[in-house]
Coordinates of all heavy atoms in Angstrom, one line a residue:
Y31 N 150.5 149.5 35.9 CA 149.6 150.4 36.6 C 149.7 150.4 38.1 O 149.7 151.4 38.8 CB 148.1 150.2 36.2 CG 147.8 150.8 34.9 CD1 147.8 150.1 33.7 CD2 147.5 152.2 34.8 CE1 147.5 150.7 32.4 CE2 147.2 152.8 33.6 CZ 147.2 152.1 32.4 OH 146.9 152.7 31.2
V32 N 149.9 149.2 38.7 CA 150.1 149.0 40.1 C 151.4 149.7 40.5 O 151.4 150.5 41.5 CB 150.1 147.6 40.5 CG1 150.5 147.4 42.0 CG2 148.7 146.9 40.3
R33 N 152.4 149.5 39.8 CA 153.7 150.2 40.1 C 153.6 151.7 40.0 O 154.1 152.4 40.8 CB 154.8 149.7 39.1 CG 156.2 150.2 39.4 CD 157.2 149.5 38.7 NE 157.0 149.5 37.2 CZ 156.6 148.4 36.5 NH1 156.4 147.3 37.2 NH2 156.4 148.5 35.2
A34 N 152.9 152.2 39.0 CA 152.7 153.6 38.9 C 151.9 154.2 40.1 O 152.2 155.3 40.5 CB 151.9 154.0 37.6
L35 N 151.0 153.5 40.6 CA 150.2 153.9 41.7 C 151.1 154.1 42.9 O 151.1 155.1 43.7 CB 149.1 153.0 42.0 CG 148.2 153.3 43.3 CD1 147.5 154.6 43.1 CD2 147.2 152.2 43.6
L36 N 152.0 153.1 43.1 CA 152.9 153.1 44.3 C 153.9 154.2 44.1 O 154.3 154.9 45.1 CB 153.6 151.7 44.4 CG 152.7 150.5 44.7 CD1 153.6 149.3 44.8 CD2 152.0 150.8 46.1
E37 N 154.4 154.4 42.9 CA 155.4 155.5 42.7 C 154.8 156.8 43.0 O 155.4 157.8 43.5 CB 155.9 155.4 41.3 CG 156.8 154.2 41.1 CD 157.2 154.0 39.6 OE1 156.6 154.7 38.7 OE2 158.1 153.2 39.3
G38 N 153.5 157.0 42.6 CA 152.8 158.2 42.9 C 152.6 158.5 44.4 O 152.7 159.6 44.8
A39 N 152.4 157.4 45.1 CA 152.2 157.5 46.5 C 153.4 157.9 47.3 O 153.4 158.5 48.4 CB 151.7 156.2 47.1
I40 N 154.6 157.6 46.7 CA 155.9 158.0 47.3 C 156.0 159.5 47.4 O 156.4 160.1 48.4 CB 157.1 157.4 46.6 CG1 157.1 155.9 46.7 CG2 158.4 158.0 47.1 CD1 158.1 155.2 45.8
D41 N 155.5 160.2 46.4 CA 155.7 161.7 46.3 C 154.4 162.4 46.8 O 154.5 163.7 46.9 CB 156.0 162.1 44.9 CG 157.3 161.5 44.4 OD1 158.3 161.4 45.2 OD2 157.4 161.1 43.2
N42 N 153.3 161.7 47.0 CA 152.1 162.4 47.3 C 151.6 161.8 48.7 O 151.1 160.7 48.7 CB 151.1 162.1 46.2 CG 149.8 162.9 46.4 OD1 149.3 163.1 47.5 ND2 149.2 163.3 45.3
K43 N 151.7 162.6 49.7 CA 151.4 162.2 51.0 C 149.9 161.9 51.2 O 149.5 160.9 51.8 CB 151.7 163.3 52.1 CG 151.4 162.8 53.5 CD 151.9 163.9 54.5 CE 151.5 163.5 55.9 NZ 151.9 164.6 56.9
S44 N 149.0 162.7 50.6 CA 147.6 162.5 50.7 C 147.2 161.2 50.0 O 146.3 160.4 50.5 CB 146.8 163.6 50.1 OG 147.1 163.8 48.7
L45 N 147.8 160.9 48.8 CA 147.5 159.6 48.1 C 148.0 158.4 49.0 O 147.3 157.4 49.1 CB 148.2 159.6 46.8 CG 148.1 158.2 46.0 CD1 146.7 157.9 45.7 CD2 148.9 158.3 44.7
R46 N 149.2 158.6 49.6 CA 149.7 157.5 50.4 C 148.8 157.2 51.6 O 148.6 156.1 52.0 CB 151.1 157.9 50.9 CG 151.9 156.9 51.7 CD 153.3 157.2 51.8 NE 153.6 158.4 52.5 CZ 154.1 159.5 52.0 NH1 154.3 159.6 50.7 NH2 154.4 160.6 52.7
E47 N 148.3 158.3 52.2 CA 147.4 158.1 53.3 C 146.1 157.5 52.9 O 145.5 156.6 53.5 CB 147.1 159.4 54.0 CG 148.3 160.0 54.7 CD 148.0 161.4 55.3 OE1 147.0 162.0 54.9 OE2 148.9 161.9 56.1
E48 N 145.6 157.9 51.7 CA 144.3 157.3 51.1 C 144.4 155.8 50.9 O 143.6 155.0 51.4 CB 144.0 158.0 49.8 CG 142.7 157.4 49.1 CD 142.5 158.0 47.8 OE1 143.3 158.8 47.3 OE2 141.5 157.6 47.1
I49 N 145.5 155.3 50.2 CA 145.6 153.9 49.9 C 145.9 153.1 51.1 O 145.8 151.8 51.0 CB 146.6 153.7 48.8 CG1 148.0 154.0 49.2 CG2 146.2 154.4 47.5 CD1 149.1 153.8 48.2
G50 N 146.3 153.7 52.2 CA 146.6 153.0 53.4 C 145.3 152.8 54.3 O 145.4 152.1 55.3
Q51 N 144.2 153.3 53.8 CA 143.0 153.3 54.7 C 142.2 152.0 54.5 O 141.3 151.7 55.3 CB 142.1 154.5 54.4 CG 142.7 155.8 54.8 CD 141.9 157.0 54.4 OE1 140.8 156.8 53.7 NE2 142.3 158.2 54.7
G52 N 142.5 151.2 53.5 CA 141.8 149.9 53.3 C 141.7 149.5 51.9 O 142.2 150.2 51.0
R53 N 141.1 148.3 51.6 CA 141.1 147.8 50.2 C 140.2 148.7 49.3 O 140.6 149.0 48.2 CB 140.5 146.4 50.2 CG 141.5 145.3 50.5 CD 140.9 144.0 50.2 NE 141.0 143.6 48.7 CZ 140.2 142.8 48.1 NH1 139.2 142.2 48.8 NH2 140.3 142.6 46.8
V54 N 139.1 149.2 49.8 CA 138.2 150.0 49.0 C 138.9 151.3 48.6 O 139.0 151.6 47.4 CB 136.9 150.3 49.7 CG1 136.1 151.4 48.9 CG2 136.0 149.1 49.8
P55 N 139.5 152.1 49.5 CA 140.3 153.3 49.1 C 141.5 152.9 48.1 O 141.7 153.7 47.2 CB 140.8 153.9 50.4 CG 139.8 153.4 51.4 CD 139.5 152.0 51.0
L56 N 142.1 151.8 48.3 CA 143.2 151.4 47.5 C 142.7 151.2 46.0 O 143.3 151.7 45.1 CB 143.9 150.1 48.0 CG 145.0 149.5 47.2 CD1 146.2 150.5 47.0 CD2 145.4 148.2 47.8
Y57 N 141.7 150.4 45.9 CA 141.1 150.1 44.6 C 140.5 151.4 43.9 O 140.6 151.5 42.7 CB 140.1 149.0 44.7 CG 140.7 147.6 44.8 CD1 141.4 147.2 45.8 CD2 140.4 146.7 43.7 CE1 142.0 145.9 45.9 CE2 141.0 145.4 43.8 CZ 141.7 145.0 44.9 OH 142.3 143.8 45.0
R58 N 140.0 152.3 44.8 CA 139.4 153.5 44.2 C 140.5 154.4 43.7 O 140.4 154.9 42.6 CB 138.7 154.2 45.3 CG 138.0 155.5 44.9 CD 137.0 156.1 45.9 NE 137.7 156.3 47.2 CZ 137.4 155.9 48.4 NH1 136.3 155.1 48.5 NH2 138.1 156.2 49.4
A59 N 141.7 154.4 44.3 CA 142.8 155.2 43.8 C 143.3 154.6 42.6 O 143.7 155.3 41.6 CB 143.9 155.3 44.9
F60 N 143.4 153.2 42.5 CA 143.9 152.6 41.3 C 142.9 152.8 40.2 O 143.4 153.1 39.0 CB 144.0 151.1 41.6 CG 144.3 150.3 40.3 CD1 145.6 150.1 40.0 CD2 143.3 149.7 39.5 CE1 145.9 149.4 38.8 CE2 143.6 149.0 38.4 CZ 144.9 148.9 38.0
T61 N 141.6 152.8 40.4 CA 140.7 153.1 39.4 C 140.8 154.5 38.8 O 140.7 154.7 37.6 CB 139.2 152.9 39.9 OG1 139.1 151.5 40.3 CG2 138.2 153.2 38.9
R62 N 141.1 155.4 39.7 CA 141.3 156.8 39.2 C 142.5 156.9 38.3 O 142.4 157.6 37.3 CB 141.4 157.7 40.5 CG 141.3 159.2 40.2 CD 141.1 159.9 41.5 NE 142.2 159.7 42.5 CZ 142.1 159.2 43.7 NH1 140.9 158.8 44.1 NH2 143.2 159.0 44.4
L63 N 143.5 156.2 38.7 CA 144.7 156.2 37.8 C 144.5 155.5 36.5 O 144.8 156.0 35.4 CB 145.9 155.5 38.6 CG 147.2 155.3 37.8 CD1 147.9 156.6 37.5 CD2 148.1 154.3 38.5
W64 N 143.8 154.3 36.6 CA 143.6 153.5 35.4 C 142.7 154.2 34.3 O 142.9 154.1 33.1 CB 143.0 152.2 35.8 CG 142.9 151.2 34.6 CD1 143.9 150.5 34.1 CD2 141.7 150.9 33.9 NE1 143.4 149.7 33.1 CE2 142.1 149.9 32.9 CE3 140.4 151.2 34.0 CZ2 141.2 149.3 32.1 CZ3 139.5 150.7 33.1 CH2 139.9 149.7 32.2
T65 N 141.8 155.0 34.8 CA 140.8 155.6 33.9 C 141.3 157.0 33.4 O 140.7 157.5 32.4 CB 139.4 155.8 34.6 OG1 139.6 156.6 35.8 CG2 138.8 154.5 34.9
T66 N 142.3 157.6 34.0 CA 142.7 158.9 33.6 C 144.1 159.1 33.1 O 144.5 160.1 32.6 CB 142.5 159.9 34.8 OG1 143.4 159.5 35.9 CG2 141.1 159.9 35.3
S67 N 144.9 158.0 33.3 CA 146.3 158.1 33.0 C 146.8 157.1 31.9 O 146.3 156.0 31.9 CB 147.2 158.0 34.2 OG 146.8 159.0 35.2
H68 N 147.8 157.5 31.2 CA 148.5 156.6 30.3 C 149.8 156.2 31.1 O 150.6 157.0 31.5 CB 148.9 157.2 29.0 CG 149.9 156.4 28.3 ND1 149.7 155.2 27.6 CD2 151.3 156.6 28.1 CE1 150.8 154.7 27.0 NE2 151.8 155.6 27.4
V69 N 150.0 154.9 31.3 CA 151.2 154.4 32.0 C 152.1 153.7 31.0 O 151.7 152.8 30.3 CB 150.8 153.4 33.1 CG1 152.0 152.8 33.8 CG2 150.0 154.2 34.2
E70 N 153.4 154.1 31.0 CA 154.4 153.5 30.1 C 154.5 152.0 30.5 O 154.6 151.6 31.6 CB 155.7 154.1 30.3 CG 156.8 153.7 29.3 CD 156.5 154.2 27.9 OE1 155.8 155.2 27.8 OE2 156.9 153.5 27.0
G71 N 154.3 151.2 29.4 CA 154.4 149.7 29.6 C 153.0 149.1 29.9 O 152.8 147.9 29.9
G72 N 152.0 150.0 30.1 CA 150.7 149.5 30.3 C 149.7 149.8 29.2 O 148.5 149.5 29.3
D73 N 150.2 150.3 28.1 CA 149.3 150.6 27.0 C 149.1 149.4 26.1 O 150.1 148.9 25.6 CB 149.8 151.8 26.2 CG 148.9 152.2 25.1 OD1 147.7 151.9 25.1 OD2 149.4 152.9 24.2
T74 N 147.9 149.0 25.9 CA 147.6 147.8 25.0 C 147.2 148.3 23.6 O 146.9 147.5 22.8 CB 146.5 146.9 25.6 OG1 145.3 147.7 25.7 CG2 146.9 146.4 26.9
N75 N 147.2 149.6 23.4 CA 146.8 150.1 22.1 C 148.0 150.1 21.1 O 148.5 151.1 20.8 CB 146.2 151.5 22.2 CG 145.6 151.9 20.9 OD1 145.4 151.2 20.0 ND2 145.3 153.2 20.9
L76 N 148.4 148.9 20.6 CA 149.5 148.8 19.7 C 149.0 148.5 18.3 O 147.9 148.0 18.2 CB 150.5 147.7 20.2 CG 151.1 148.0 21.6 CD1 152.0 146.8 22.0 CD2 151.8 149.3 21.7
A77 N 149.8 148.7 17.3 CA 149.4 148.5 16.0 C 149.0 147.1 15.6 O 148.1 146.8 14.8 CB 150.5 149.0 15.0
G78 N 149.7 146.1 16.2 CA 149.4 144.7 15.9 C 149.8 143.8 17.0 O 150.1 144.2 18.1
G79 N 149.8 142.5 16.7 CA 150.1 141.5 17.7 C 149.1 141.3 18.7 O 148.0 141.7 18.6
R80 N 149.5 140.6 19.8 CA 148.5 140.2 20.8 C 148.0 141.4 21.6 O 146.8 141.4 21.8 CB 149.2 139.2 21.8 CG 149.6 137.9 21.1 CD 150.0 137.0 22.2 NE 150.1 135.6 21.6 CZ 150.2 134.5 22.3 NH1 150.1 134.6 23.6 NH2 150.3 133.4 21.8
E81 N 148.8 142.3 21.9 CA 148.4 143.5 22.7 C 147.4 144.3 21.9 O 146.4 144.8 22.4 CB 149.5 144.3 23.1 CG 150.5 143.6 24.1 CD 149.9 143.4 25.5 OE1 148.8 143.9 25.7 OE2 150.5 142.6 26.2
G82 N 147.7 144.5 20.6 CA 146.7 145.2 19.7 C 145.4 144.5 19.6 O 144.3 145.1 19.6
A83 N 145.4 143.2 19.5 CA 144.2 142.4 19.4 C 143.4 142.5 20.6 O 142.2 142.6 20.6 CB 144.5 141.0 19.0
T84 N 144.1 142.4 21.8 CA 143.4 142.6 23.1 C 142.7 143.9 23.2 O 141.6 144.0 23.6 CB 144.5 142.4 24.2 OG1 145.0 141.1 24.2 CG2 143.8 142.7 25.6
H85 N 143.4 145.0 22.8 CA 142.8 146.3 22.8 C 141.5 146.4 22.0 O 140.5 146.9 22.4 CB 143.8 147.4 22.4 CG 143.2 148.7 22.4 ND1 143.2 149.5 23.5 CD2 142.7 149.5 21.4 CE1 142.6 150.7 23.2 NE2 142.3 150.7 21.9
A86 N 141.6 145.8 20.8 CA 140.4 145.8 19.9 C 139.3 145.0 20.6 O 138.1 145.5 20.5 CB 140.8 145.2 18.6
R87 N 139.6 143.9 21.2 CA 138.5 143.1 21.9 C 137.9 143.9 23.1 O 136.7 143.9 23.3 CB 139.1 141.8 22.4 CG 138.2 140.8 23.0 CD 137.5 140.0 21.9 NE 136.9 138.8 22.4 CZ 135.6 138.5 22.5 NH1 134.8 139.4 22.2 NH2 135.2 137.4 23.0
L88 N 138.8 144.6 23.8 CA 138.3 145.3 25.0 C 137.5 146.5 24.6 O 136.5 146.9 25.3 CB 139.5 145.9 25.8 CG 140.3 144.9 26.6 CD1 141.5 145.5 27.2 CD2 139.4 144.3 27.7
A89 N 137.7 147.1 23.4 CA 137.0 148.2 23.0 C 135.5 148.0 22.8 O 134.7 148.9 22.9 CB 137.6 148.8 21.7
V90 N 135.2 146.7 22.7 CA 133.8 146.3 22.5 C 133.0 146.4 23.8 O 131.8 146.7 23.8 CB 133.7 144.9 22.0 CG1 132.2 144.4 21.8 CG2 134.4 144.7 20.6
I91 N 133.7 146.3 24.9 CA 133.0 146.3 26.2 C 133.4 147.5 27.0 O 134.6 147.8 27.3 CB 133.4 145.0 27.0 CG1 133.0 143.8 26.3 CG2 132.8 145.0 28.4 CD1 133.4 142.5 27.0
P92 N 132.4 148.3 27.5 CA 132.7 149.5 28.3 C 133.5 149.1 29.5 O 133.2 148.1 30.2 CB 131.3 150.0 28.7 CG 130.4 149.5 27.6 CD 131.0 148.1 27.2
P93 N 134.6 149.9 29.9 CA 135.4 149.6 31.0 C 134.7 149.4 32.3 O 135.0 148.5 33.1 CB 136.3 150.8 31.1 CG 136.4 151.3 29.7 CD 135.0 151.1 29.1
E94 N 133.7 150.2 32.6 CA 132.9 150.1 33.8 C 132.2 148.8 34.0 O 132.1 148.2 35.1 CB 131.9 151.2 34.0 CG 132.5 152.6 34.5 CD 131.4 153.6 34.8 OE1 130.3 153.3 34.5 OE2 131.8 154.6 35.5
H95 N 131.8 148.2 32.9 CA 131.2 146.9 32.9 C 132.2 145.8 33.4 O 131.8 145.0 34.3 CB 130.7 146.5 31.5 CG 129.6 147.3 31.0 ND1 128.8 147.0 29.9 CD2 129.1 148.6 31.4 CE1 127.9 148.0 29.7 NE2 128.1 148.9 30.6
R96 N 133.4 145.8 32.8 CA 134.4 144.9 33.2 C 134.8 145.1 34.7 O 135.0 144.2 35.4 CB 135.6 145.0 32.3 CG 135.3 144.7 30.9 CD 136.6 144.4 30.1 NE 137.8 145.1 30.5 CZ 138.1 146.4 30.0 NH1 137.2 147.0 29.2 NH2 139.2 147.0 30.4
Q97 N 135.0 146.4 35.0 CA 135.4 146.7 36.4 C 134.4 146.2 37.4 O 134.7 145.6 38.4 CB 135.6 148.2 36.6 CG 136.8 148.7 35.8 CD 136.8 150.3 35.9 OE1 135.9 150.9 35.4 NE2 137.8 150.8 36.5
A98 N 133.1 146.4 37.2 CA 132.1 146.0 38.1 C 132.0 144.5 38.2 O 131.9 143.9 39.3 CB 130.7 146.5 37.6
L99 N 132.2 143.8 37.1 CA 132.2 142.3 37.1 C 133.4 141.8 37.9 O 133.2 140.9 38.8 CB 132.3 141.8 35.7 CG 132.3 140.2 35.6 CD1 131.0 139.6 36.1 CD2 132.6 139.8 34.1
L100 N 134.6 142.3 37.7 CA 135.8 141.8 38.4 C 135.8 142.1 39.8 O 136.2 141.3 40.7 CB 137.0 142.3 37.7 CG 137.3 141.8 36.3 CD1 138.4 142.6 35.6 CD2 137.6 140.3 36.3
L101 N 135.3 143.3 40.2 CA 135.3 143.7 41.6 C 134.4 142.9 42.4 O 134.7 142.5 43.6 CB 134.9 145.2 41.7 CG 135.9 146.3 41.2 CD1 135.3 147.6 41.2 CD2 137.1 146.3 42.2
T102 N 133.2 142.5 41.8 CA 132.3 141.8 42.6 C 132.4 140.2 42.6 O 131.9 139.5 43.4 CB 130.8 142.1 42.2 OG1 130.7 141.8 40.8 CG2 130.5 143.6 42.4
T103 N 133.2 139.8 41.6 CA 133.4 138.3 41.5 C 134.8 138.0 41.9 O 135.1 137.4 43.0 CB 133.1 137.8 40.1 OG1 133.9 138.5 39.1 CG2 131.6 137.9 39.8
L104 N 135.8 138.3 41.1 CA 137.2 138.0 41.4 C 137.7 138.6 42.7 O 138.3 137.9 43.5 CB 138.1 138.5 40.2 CG 139.5 138.0 40.2 CD1 139.5 136.5 39.9 CD2 140.3 138.7 39.1
E105 N 137.3 139.8 43.0 CA 137.8 140.5 44.2 C 136.8 140.4 45.3 O 137.1 140.8 46.5 CB 138.1 141.9 43.9 CG 139.2 142.1 42.9 CD 140.5 141.4 43.2 OE1 140.9 141.4 44.4 OE2 141.0 140.7 42.3
E106 N 135.6 139.9 45.1 CA 134.6 139.6 46.1 C 134.2 140.8 46.9 O 133.9 140.7 48.1 CB 135.0 138.5 47.0 CG 135.3 137.2 46.2 CD 135.6 136.0 47.1 OE1 135.7 136.2 48.3 OE2 135.7 134.9 46.6
F107 N 134.2 142.0 46.3 CA 133.6 143.2 46.9 C 132.1 143.0 46.9 O 131.5 142.4 45.9 CB 134.0 144.5 46.2 CG 135.4 144.9 46.5 CD1 136.4 144.9 45.5 CD2 135.7 145.4 47.8 CE1 137.7 145.3 45.8 CE2 137.0 145.8 48.1 CZ 138.0 145.8 47.1
T108 N 131.4 143.6 47.8 CA 129.9 143.7 47.7 C 129.6 144.8 46.6 O 130.4 145.6 46.3 CB 129.3 144.1 49.0 OG1 129.7 145.5 49.3 CG2 129.7 143.2 50.2
P109 N 128.3 144.7 46.1 CA 128.0 145.8 45.2 C 128.1 147.2 45.7 O 128.5 148.1 45.0 CB 126.5 145.5 44.9 CG 126.4 144.0 45.0 CD 127.3 143.7 46.2
A110 N 127.9 147.4 47.0 CA 128.0 148.7 47.6 C 129.5 149.1 47.7 O 129.9 150.2 47.4 CB 127.5 148.6 49.1
E111 N 130.4 148.1 48.0 CA 131.8 148.4 48.0 C 132.4 148.7 46.6 O 133.2 149.6 46.4 CB 132.6 147.2 48.7 CG 132.4 147.1 50.1 CD 132.9 145.8 50.7 OE1 133.1 144.8 49.9 OE2 133.2 145.7 51.9
A112 N 131.9 147.9 45.7 CA 132.3 148.1 44.3 C 131.8 149.5 43.8 O 132.5 150.2 43.1 CB 131.8 147.0 43.4
G113 N 130.6 149.9 44.3 CA 130.1 151.2 43.9 C 130.9 152.3 44.5 O 131.2 153.3 43.8
D114 N 131.5 152.1 45.7 CA 132.3 153.1 46.3 C 133.6 153.2 45.5 O 134.1 154.3 45.3 CB 132.6 152.6 47.8 CG 133.2 153.8 48.6 OD1 133.4 154.8 48.0 OD2 133.4 153.5 49.8
V115 N 134.1 152.1 45.0 CA 135.3 152.1 44.2 C 135.1 152.9 42.9 O 135.9 153.7 42.4 CB 135.8 150.7 43.9 CG1 136.9 150.7 42.8 CG2 136.3 150.0 45.1
L116 N 133.9 152.6 42.3 CA 133.6 153.2 40.9 C 132.9 154.5 41.0 O 132.7 155.1 39.9 CB 132.8 152.2 40.1 CG 133.5 150.8 39.9 CD1 132.6 149.9 39.2 CD2 134.8 151.0 39.1
G117 N 132.4 154.9 42.2 CA 131.6 156.1 42.2 C 130.2 155.9 41.8 O 129.6 156.8 41.1
L118 N 129.6 154.7 42.1 CA 128.3 154.4 41.6 C 127.5 153.9 42.8 O 128.0 153.5 43.8 CB 128.3 153.3 40.5 CG 129.1 153.6 39.3 CD1 129.3 152.4 38.4 CD2 128.4 154.7 38.5
E119 N 126.1 153.8 42.6 CA 125.3 153.2 43.6 C 125.3 151.6 43.4 O 125.7 151.1 42.3 CB 123.8 153.6 43.4 CG 123.6 155.1 43.6 CD 123.9 155.5 45.1 OE1 123.7 154.7 46.0 OE2 124.4 156.6 45.3
A120 N 125.0 150.9 44.4 CA 125.0 149.5 44.4 C 124.1 148.9 43.3 O 124.5 148.0 42.6 CB 124.6 148.9 45.7
E121 N 123.0 149.5 43.1 CA 122.1 149.0 42.0 C 122.7 149.2 40.6 O 122.5 148.4 39.8 CB 120.7 149.8 42.1 CG 119.9 149.5 43.4 CD 120.5 150.3 44.6 OE1 121.3 151.1 44.4 OE2 120.0 150.0 45.7
E122 N 123.4 150.3 40.5 CA 124.1 150.5 39.2 C 125.2 149.5 38.9 O 125.3 149.0 37.8 CB 124.7 151.9 39.2 CG 123.7 153.1 39.2 CD 124.3 154.4 39.3 OE1 124.9 154.8 40.3 OE2 124.3 155.2 38.3
V123 N 125.9 149.1 40.0 CA 126.9 148.1 39.9 C 126.3 146.8 39.4 O 126.8 146.1 38.5 CB 127.7 147.9 41.2 CG1 128.6 146.7 41.1 CG2 128.5 149.2 41.5
E124 N 125.2 146.4 40.1 CA 124.5 145.1 39.7 C 124.1 145.1 38.3 O 124.2 144.1 37.6 CB 123.4 144.9 40.7 CG 123.8 144.6 42.1 CD 122.6 144.6 43.1 OE1 121.6 145.2 42.7 OE2 122.8 144.1 44.2

Side-chain angles (χ1 to χ4, degrees):
Y31 276 97
V32 172
R33 184 167 56 253
L35 178 65
L36 295 179
E37 291 173 349
I40 293 175
D41 300 324
N42 187 322
K43 182 179 179 182
S44 61
L45 175 60
R46 186 163 64 249
E47 292 176 348
E48 177 187 2
I49 65 177
Q51 292 174 0
R53 278 191 81 205
V54 168
L56 174 63
Y57 280 63
R58 185 170 56 234
F60 174 85
T61 298
R62 194 165 60 242
L63 172 69
W64 188 76
T65 55
T66 62
S67 304
H68 165 77
V69 173
E70 188 68 28
D73 185 16
T74 58
N75 188 13
L76 302 179
R80 293 189 170 199
E81 296 291 351
T84 294
H85 178 81
R87 185 83 159 111
L88 283 175
V90 178
I91 299 179
E94 280 190 346
H95 295 194
R96 300 197 323 275
Q97 289 173 297
L99 177 65
L100 292 171
L101 287 170
T102 56
T103 55
L104 193 65
E105 299 307 313
E106 300 187 354
F107 283 112
T108 66
E111 290 170 334
D114 196 355
V115 170
L116 299 175
L118 300 170
E119 297 296 328
E121 294 78 9
E122 294 177 289
V123 170
E124 292 172 342

